[in-house]
Amino acid sequence: MTSTSPRHRLSPAISLLTGIALAAAAGAEPLRDRANDLFNPVPAISDTATGRALNPDQVELGKMLFFEPRISASHLISCNTCHNVGFGGHDYLPTSIGHGWQRGPRNSPTVFNAVFNAAQFWDGRAADLAEQAKGPVQASVEMSSTPARVTATLSSMPEYFERFQTAFPDAAEPLSFDNMALAIEAFETTLTTPNSAFDAYLKGDDAALTAQQKAGLGLFMDKGCAACHTGVNLGGQHYFPFGLIARPGADILPVGDKGRFAVTRTASDEYVFRAAPLRNVALTAPYFHSGAVWSLEEAVAIMGRSQLGAELNAEEVSQITAFLASLTGEQPHIAYPLLPPSTADTPRPDPMWKPTAGH
Amino acid sequence: MTSTSPRHRLSPAISLLTGIALAAAAGAEPLRDRANDLFNPVPAISDTATGRALNPDQVELGKMLFFEPRISASHLISCNTCHNVGFGGHDYLPTSIGHGWQRGPRNSPTVFNAVFNAAQFWDGRAADLAEQAKGPVQASVEMSSTPARVTATLSSMPEYFERFQTAFPDAAEPLSFDNMALAIEAFETTLTTPNSAFDAYLKGDDAALTAQQKAGLGLFMDKGCAACHTGVNLGGQHYFPFGLIARPGADILPVGDKGRFAVTRTASDEYVFRAAPLRNVALTAPYFHSGAVWSLEEAVAIMGRSQLGAELNAEEVSQITAFLASLTGEQPHIAYPLLPPSTADTPRPDPMWKPTAGH
């Protein structure tokens, strides 16, 4: 059912070795042993995540591009607008606002730990972060730009020209739309959130989770949540129908958005979405692709009914929600990049603006 | 003609002492002596700038608020949207884009070194940065929020509540709209750009300016530019008619924006604006309150004609422009703040959105 690229799966050899090391450290708590069979801690930043060597010049350039509003037609919207690094990597909006104040159709997913997802977007239509990065730049409701406009913009500023030369020394044409996307991917690869309470528990620290959180972890596995929400990101690996048992109302599952069907044109993929990755989920309200639900407790209860056919009681919802809060890791600390000045050759902001009376 | 607050002028005693120290260090180059009579280097960050003690807790809180989109009705727009710290403290747009994609009537001035201006906004309608900060939050074309909504939003997040308590320990009501503004002012007070080439020259380093820049400095004083553009910020201190000698065309000086007249309702203040502060001017295109001119050379030539009645030749324009580039100082390095998560009590983003078809 998936169409994922092999480079986005963690190497089985590495997973196995990590598993052995963890098992040795973890002692014999049965709950932890079960959890270690299903989940992995967020690893240290490394080359393994994308399969490409992590190049510091690409990371630094990618950070500049991530914060660069001039890759949008308006010169107002950057990647950080909807994937705010001060906000857990998203925007606290039901669906994002883009070019011309248009509202996008889906909730902005967090960029944090996105490198560990098997594919990108709610419907997995991009195989990796580099492919993903090209989407919003061109989407009419997001940045509304074009590859030609982006490369003309970046080429107009000598500092960008030189940084692409340094970051992609072997490329025939270092400053290109493709390399912009690869640089953004390199930066985003560093946006991981290690050392959550849950990861400390997986690694053997009994005291890292409260009794309530351990009960929630047990329920998360026993009730079947972990059937879809597994791996490093507790999700983000496979596709499942939203409404497997009972379809939620149209307020939560709008009938016009058929999810992965738009990618595969296969009837069985109607209302199929990538299982949401749950790292830092306590920081990423509102929930679901529609962004219709602000309360994590309510989202847990809806998942129980729609995916598991289970009416979770209030205590169970509280316990699972408490467990989910243990997935909040250390947030990345980012130094705001200094961006080069526009020049006479920089394409002007797109004039598709509506002037208003003065105030 | 001005309505400035005394706390926004540098203390004469301090200016005098600084002047004596500089004169001793500077040696006897006549050009520098003349310059030191008219201009001051950007001082180290200190309490003298606002007259209030600089409180580190207020600075850190103010940084969070400066990057906080949830003080806007949409939850999309922060101070940094139009005063981008990676962009020289402004937005590289003719006039800014705000709530509902409305376009504001005037060019966004840089926040860098704004603490040294005698008053804020192009028409000086705010006496200081704290008063200024309250404007865009409430302006319908900018953030479109209200004091009640802002305090409800900030109060809904325990971390903000605690940080206001710490930053304003003696206040009866620490978390208030006024204290939000004071915290933002405290952060903005730290956004200075010291150690420009021009400042090194003022302090005695002959080699800090090129021969062309020295020629431009001479012209800047001889032609009369320095009659308005003086002090630390080479401007920002007093008000003058735009078009003193010859009024520019309506493309540059729109007839509907009468500048300081809107503040004072005095006929002689029609088309009067605060002399633009020129620190980092090479980073803050496009120019004038209308943002109509992208080229600094062209802006210099227009100023010559409209304010001085002088047709500067191409060499003079180049020399003055080269001098202006020496005003670019060290840009502030900012660590992106981590902002607290929204809670169940956080007011929702304003729904004044226009949904669009999916993409």
Side-chain angles (χ1 to χ4, degrees):
Chain A
M1 186 149 57
T2 68
S3 68
T4 63
S5 140
R7 58 185 263 217
H8 272 85
R9 300 196 169 281
L10 291 174
S11 148
I14 287 177
S15 298
L16 187 63
L17 287 170
T18 313
I20 291 168
L22 288 172
E29 179 155 314
L31 181 71
R32 176 164 43 238
D33 289 346
R34 289 181 61 206
N36 271 314
D37 283 344
L38 291 167
F39 313 113
N40 305 99
V42 172
I45 294 169
S46 75
D47 294 351
T48 58
T50 64
R52 291 196 302 124
L54 202 58
N55 173 328
D57 293 318
Q58 291 179 11
V59 171
E60 188 58 27
L61 172 59
K63 183 170 81 168
M64 294 170 70
L65 296 168
F66 187 88
F67 282 94
E68 181 52 86
R70 289 168 297 187
I71 63 173
S72 70
S74 65
H75 290 198
L76 188 72
I77 298 172
S78 72
C79 304
N80 191 65
T81 302
C82 303
H83 302 286
N84 190 324
V85 297
F87 265 5
H90 78 124
D91 60 8
Y92 282 121
L93 295 173
T95 64
S96 297
I97 298 172
H99 189 75
W101 210 254
Q102 295 172 93
R103 188 179 180 175
R106 291 187 189 147
N107 182 260
S108 172
T110 178
V111 67
F112 291 170
N113 309 302
V115 67
F116 305 123
N117 294 331
Q120 304 300 329
F121 293 116
W122 282 92
D123 53 17
R125 67 185 183 277
D128 54 42
L129 288 169
E131 186 179 339
Q132 189 280 333
K134 298 178 192 174
V137 177
Q138 301 176 77
S140 64
V141 300
E142 299 186 51
M143 294 187 188
S144 197
S145 193
T146 63
R149 187 178 164 90
V150 167
T151 54
T153 299
L154 298 175
S155 300
S156 73
M157 294 178 256
E159 184 181 337
Y160 273 125
F161 190 82
E162 287 157 20
R163 283 183 179 271
F164 273 95
Q165 301 273 344
T166 305
F168 298 96
D170 301 327
E173 190 185 9
L175 197 164
S176 67
F177 192 64
D178 285 350
N179 286 345
M180 172 208 75
L182 287 172
I184 290 173
E185 175 179 81
F187 170 62
E188 291 179 344
T189 299
T190 69
L191 299 179
T192 62
T193 66
N195 302 323
S196 65
F198 179 58
D199 287 1
Y201 177 77
L202 285 179
K203 292 175 183 175
D205 179 1
D206 276 354
L209 297 188
T210 65
Q212 186 190 31
Q213 289 175 322
K214 288 180 187 176
L217 168 59
L219 287 168
F220 193 82
M221 297 188 288
D222 293 339
K223 294 282 184 181
C225 313
C228 302
H229 295 282
T230 56
V232 173
N233 274 356
L234 295 85
Q237 300 305 309
H238 300 291
Y239 303 92
F240 302 94
F242 189 12
L244 187 64
I245 306 298
R247 184 167 290 182
D251 51 334
I252 292 169
L253 182 64
V255 291
D257 184 349
K258 294 191 176 177
R260 196 159 168 76
F261 174 77
V263 180
T264 64
R265 297 288 163 191
T266 302
S268 61
D269 274 345
E270 285 194 356
Y271 304 108
V272 163
F273 294 87
R274 192 192 59 182
L278 298 182
R279 289 275 171 193
N280 305 294
V281 70
L283 305 182
T284 63
Y287 299 106
F288 303 127
H289 65 285
S290 56
V293 174
W294 282 89
S295 152
L296 185 52
E297 287 83 353
E298 188 182 341
V300 167
I302 290 169
M303 279 276 106
R305 281 192 294 274
S306 64
Q307 303 305 103
L308 306 172
E311 195 64 42
L312 301 170
N313 66 38
E315 186 183 17
E316 291 170 330
V317 167
S318 292
Q319 288 169 336
I320 292 174
T321 303
F323 161 65
L324 293 175
S326 80
L327 300 176
T328 302
E330 289 172 3
Q331 305 294 294
H333 286 261
I334 310 291
Y336 205 103
L338 298 179
L339 305 171
S342 296
T343 70
D345 295 329
T346 306
R348 300 293 173 237
D350 187 283
M352 200 282 287
W353 288 333
K354 292 169 291 182
T356 61
H359 69 284
Chain B
M1 187 148 60
T2 66
S3 69
T4 61
S5 137
R7 59 184 262 217
H8 270 86
R9 301 196 168 279
L10 290 173
S11 146
I14 287 176
S15 296
L16 186 65
L17 288 169
T18 313
I20 291 168
L22 288 171
E29 179 157 315
L31 181 71
R32 176 163 45 235
D33 289 346
R34 289 182 61 206
N36 270 313
D37 283 344
L38 292 166
F39 313 113
N40 305 100
V42 172
I45 294 169
S46 75
D47 295 350
T48 59
T50 64
R52 291 197 300 125
L54 202 59
N55 173 327
D57 293 319
Q58 291 179 11
V59 171
E60 187 59 28
L61 172 59
K63 183 170 82 168
M64 296 170 69
L65 296 168
F66 186 88
F67 282 93
E68 180 53 85
R70 289 169 296 188
I71 61 173
S72 69
S74 65
H75 290 197
L76 188 71
I77 297 173
S78 72
C79 305
N80 191 64
T81 302
C82 303
H83 301 287
N84 190 323
V85 297
F87 264 4
H90 78 123
D91 59 8
Y92 283 121
L93 295 174
T95 63
S96 297
I97 298 172
H99 190 75
W101 210 255
Q102 295 173 93
R103 188 179 180 176
R106 291 190 190 145
N107 182 260
S108 170
T110 177
V111 67
F112 292 170
N113 309 302
V115 67
F116 304 124
N117 293 332
Q120 304 300 328
F121 293 117
W122 282 92
D123 54 16
R125 67 185 184 276
D128 54 41
L129 288 168
E131 186 179 339
Q132 189 281 331
K134 299 178 191 174
V137 177
Q138 301 176 77
S140 63
V141 299
E142 299 185 52
M143 294 188 188
S144 198
S145 193
T146 63
R149 187 178 163 89
V150 167
T151 53
T153 299
L154 298 175
S155 300
S156 73
M157 296 178 254
E159 184 181 336
Y160 274 125
F161 189 82
E162 287 157 21
R163 284 183 179 270
F164 273 94
Q165 302 273 343
T166 304
F168 299 95
D170 301 326
E173 189 186 9
L175 198 164
S176 67
F177 192 63
D178 285 349
N179 286 344
M180 172 208 76
L182 287 172
I184 290 174
E185 175 179 81
F187 171 61
E188 291 180 343
T189 299
T190 70
L191 298 180
T192 63
T193 66
N195 302 324
S196 65
F198 180 58
D199 287 1
Y201 177 76
L202 285 180
K203 291 175 182 176
D205 179 1
D206 276 352
L209 296 189
T210 65
Q212 187 190 32
Q213 289 174 322
K214 288 179 187 176
L217 169 57
L219 288 168
F220 192 82
M221 297 189 289
D222 293 338
K223 293 283 185 181
C225 313
C228 302
H229 295 282
T230 56
V232 173
N233 274 356
L234 294 88
Q237 300 307 309
H238 299 290
Y239 303 91
F240 302 95
F242 190 12
L244 187 64
I245 307 297
R247 185 169 289 182
D251 51 334
I252 292 168
L253 182 63
V255 292
D257 185 348
K258 294 192 176 177
R260 195 157 169 76
F261 174 77
V263 180
T264 64
R265 297 288 163 191
T266 303
S268 60
D269 274 346
E270 285 194 356
Y271 304 108
V272 164
F273 293 89
R274 192 191 59 182
L278 298 182
R279 289 276 171 191
N280 305 293
V281 69
L283 304 182
T284 63
Y287 300 105
F288 302 127
H289 65 285
S290 55
V293 174
W294 283 89
S295 152
L296 186 52
E297 286 83 353
E298 188 182 340
V300 167
I302 290 169
M303 279 276 107
R305 280 193 294 274
S306 64
Q307 304 305 103
L308 306 172
E311 194 64 41
L312 301 170
N313 67 37
E315 186 183 16
E316 290 170 330
V317 168
S318 293
Q319 288 169 336
I320 293 173
T321 304
F323 161 64
L324 293 176
S326 80
L327 300 176
T328 301
E330 289 172 3
Q331 305 294 294
H333 286 261
I334 310 291
Y336 206 103
L338 299 179
L339 304 171
S342 295
T343 69
D345 295 329
T346 306
R348 301 294 173 235
D350 186 284
M352 200 281 287
W353 288 332
K354 292 168 291 182
T356 60
H359 70 284

